[in-house]
Amino acid sequence: AVADAAAIGVERKGHEEIWLAVTARTALPEADLIAACRAYGIAVARVVPVAAIPRSDMGKIDRIRLKREILD
């Protein structure tokens, strides 16, 4: 099961893709997560497992830090 998730836009090959960062309680196949997102009309190109979704002091997702962590 997914414990937390955040979507970010990543520039790839001249266009922006949606990547989904997830923290999972159990192992989940990437294809299953992508299919579940597409069922809701969200075209996720890639799922990236992360230890934790970074948040600001106010509890909002820190997308800049998340993107830096994923791409580095």
Side-chain angles (χ1 to χ4, degrees):
V2 172
D4 200 4
I8 59 169
V10 177
E11 188 70 29
R12 302 284 289 178
K13 300 175 187 172
H15 69 282
E16 190 172 69
E17 294 180 344
I18 298 173
W19 288 15
L20 185 67
V22 292
T23 57
R25 293 185 184 108
T26 59
L28 297 168
E30 180 179 9
D32 291 353
L33 289 171
I34 290 173
C37 289
R38 290 203 174 147
Y40 286 96
I42 303 167
V44 172
R46 183 171 174 195
V47 175
V48 181
V50 295
I53 303 293
R55 296 191 181 273
S56 70
D57 292 337
M58 298 201 45
K60 293 184 177 185
I61 295 169
D62 186 341
R63 293 185 193 285
I64 294 170
R65 197 166 106 209
L66 177 61
K67 187 182 267 189
R68 191 176 332 121
E69 288 175 11
I70 288 175
L71 296 177
D72 287 343

